[in-house]
Amino acid sequence: MKPPRAAAAPASWAKLELPLTPPYPPMEAELVREIPSGDLWQYEPKWDGFRCIVYRDGDQVELQSKAGQPLGRYFPELVAAVRKLSPKRFVIDGEIVIPEAGGLSFDALLMRIHPAASRVARLAAESPSRLYVFDMLVDTRGQRLTDKPLHTRRERLEAFASRNLEPSGQIRLSPATYSEQVAQAWLGSPGMDGVIAKRLAASYASGERTGMVKVKPQRTADCVVGGFRWAENRKSGVGSLLLGLYDKEGLLHHVGFCSSFSAKDKKEMVAPLESIRGGPGFTGKAPGGPSRWSKRDGAWEPLQTRLVVEVGYDYFSQGRFRHGTQFLRWRPDKAPEQCRMEQVLSRRSASEVPLVDYGDAAIP
């Protein structure tokens, strides 16, 4: 997938008479392997979208990204939806998603970050966004809540949602539960990108990872090694393995790369890979040239299609792994011809599968 086009220069923030004003760093989560247990936690689904803090002061509405940048110009339909709410003053934290073809599309979100206002307006009309709200930082009376424990903030948020948000509206309350069993079900459910666990007694730790953790499901795929790139310093060995999957017509398409190897492994891979250089490599879509974001040469070495590797990945979108993959193990027991595109398409990412709407049933 190509990187999004450069965004327009950020506009200045509006002057807001609120206890919190942008840019305010959102609370962040530490990545862990397992969902924590016990009665000290609240669990929430992790959405595949853009983090967003929403500020409202009268007619002034600001949407702030996780990186502290204005988002309002890219999601005008959400700005309008916030203005339609009855309360005139508040600050809430949530996630922007775009439902598309019965699922959530992260690619559609990336397309919004575009310098042309006319294009943004067209996309907003064609694929309107949605905001899932999961925290309240300033209530409708203008009281700052960031020093309050999560269970107090959640009570205020649920009261706000019951009075002002429609279950099927453009701005929705994100589900929460105290049940680890429900959280485990979320972890493997379509439409979820994982689980967030928050400490019930924790205040809103702006910019820190002390009050909540995130757990993401493990996705794996068996891929053919169709080629490799040398490290920037060739003496360091192999820089990355180029991964391929076969389509129904038997063409091997380049779908991503893997570079999560130790310095020792990168050197030790040279001899085995050198011995199978000169093969057909990719017979379908092949790796492109050098990236405009990197100084590295885009040249790559095609290989005979003999090696199979199992990798872990986050998302598969538009025929590619969205990010670099994690090396798990070599698969000498697997024939390259068995590495087909169907294995990732049948286990689609959270941005590509039907969204399960749990409604209020999952909220204790």
Side-chain angles (χ1 to χ4, degrees):
M1 182 181 65
K2 294 181 180 179
R5 291 185 59 177
S12 58
W13 296 106
K15 185 177 181 180
L16 305 175
E17 300 296 330
L18 292 168
L20 290 178
T21 55
Y24 182 75
M27 184 176 176
E28 298 190 36
E30 178 186 1
L31 180 64
V32 297
R33 291 185 178 273
E34 297 180 352
I35 297 175
S37 300
D39 57 4
L40 303 178
W41 299 90
Q42 172 181 290
Y43 308 105
E44 302 173 11
K46 184 180 184 301
W47 303 102
D48 186 26
F50 285 173
R51 185 74 174 275
C52 179
I53 295 182
V54 179
Y55 305 81
R56 175 150 192 208
D57 183 15
D59 288 335
Q60 297 286 353
V61 174
E62 293 284 1
L63 308 183
Q64 177 205 306
S65 74
K66 183 177 180 179
Q69 298 299 318
L71 283 174
R73 65 164 282 133
Y74 307 116
F75 299 95
E77 75 280 24
L78 274 186
V79 173
V82 172
R83 285 202 180 105
K84 290 179 181 178
L85 298 178
S86 296
K88 301 299 181 184
R89 302 186 74 205
F90 56 82
V91 180
I92 52 180
D93 191 1
E95 193 92 359
I96 300 175
V97 300
I98 293 184
E100 199 170 82
L104 300 181
S105 174
F106 194 85
D107 294 328
L109 285 170
L110 293 177
M111 291 175 65
R112 289 293 191 91
I113 311 304
H114 196 280
S118 58
R119 179 182 172 89
V120 171
R122 177 174 62 81
L123 293 174
E126 293 175 353
S127 303
S129 58
R130 181 185 298 170
L131 177 72
Y132 281 102
V133 183
F134 44 69
D135 213 330
M136 174 158 269
L137 311 188
V138 175
D139 66 18
T140 57
R141 296 174 293 179
Q143 179 184 3
R144 180 170 177 166
L145 304 178
T146 52
D147 60 341
K148 304 292 184 184
L150 171 64
H151 62 81
T152 298
R153 303 198 310 273
R154 183 70 191 191
E155 289 174 0
R156 302 283 182 92
L157 178 64
E158 290 183 0
F160 172 86
S162 66
R163 297 189 187 103
N164 304 291
L165 305 183
E166 296 293 333
S168 58
Q170 196 167 2
I171 303 175
R172 305 183 183 187
L173 178 67
S174 187
T177 183
Y178 302 138
S179 168
E180 185 183 350
Q181 184 177 6
V182 173
Q184 290 287 356
W186 282 343
L187 189 61
S189 294
M192 301 298 180
D193 187 34
V195 169
I196 295 289
K198 298 179 179 178
R199 296 183 184 275
L200 285 166
S203 59
Y204 191 92
S206 171
E208 299 181 11
R209 303 176 187 270
T210 56
M212 64 181 185
V213 298
K214 58 185 176 182
V215 183
K216 303 183 74 172
Q218 176 74 60
R219 300 182 178 94
T220 66
D222 296 321
C223 299
V224 179
V225 181
F228 73 95
R229 284 193 173 106
W230 292 101
E232 188 171 1
N233 178 359
R234 191 159 175 152
K235 293 182 180 180
S236 299
V238 173
S240 61
L241 301 180
L242 304 180
L243 308 176
L245 292 173
Y246 285 101
D247 65 13
K248 293 180 180 180
E249 284 70 42
L251 297 176
L252 183 65
H253 296 283
H254 175 237
V255 293
F257 69 94
C258 182
S259 59
S260 57
F261 306 102
S262 67
K264 179 182 177 182
D265 288 338
K266 290 182 177 182
K267 290 182 178 179
E268 290 181 347
M269 281 193 290
V270 171
L273 294 183
E274 286 272 19
S275 69
I276 57 172
R277 282 176 63 188
F282 300 95
T283 53
K285 294 180 182 177
S291 168
R292 58 175 170 160
W293 309 110
S294 172
K295 296 180 180 178
R296 293 188 178 184
D297 190 341
W300 60 282
E301 303 282 355
L303 297 175
Q304 300 172 36
T305 52
R306 296 185 185 179
L307 298 176
V308 174
V309 64
E310 183 180 4
V311 297
Y313 67 96
D314 290 332
Y315 306 100
F316 190 86
S317 177
Q318 294 188 343
R320 286 184 58 86
F321 297 117
R322 187 186 298 168
H323 307 119
T325 63
Q326 177 188 7
F327 174 84
L328 298 179
R329 56 179 174 161
W330 295 102
R331 292 295 305 268
D333 58 317
K334 187 105 175 183
E337 294 76 17
Q338 294 176 300
C339 300
R340 304 186 66 83
M341 200 74 72
E342 285 87 344
Q343 64 180 309
V344 288
L345 298 180
S346 63
R347 295 177 295 175
R348 293 171 293 175
S349 70
S351 65
E352 298 171 313
V353 296
L355 173 65
V356 177
D357 190 352
Y358 291 92
D360 296 329
I363 304 176

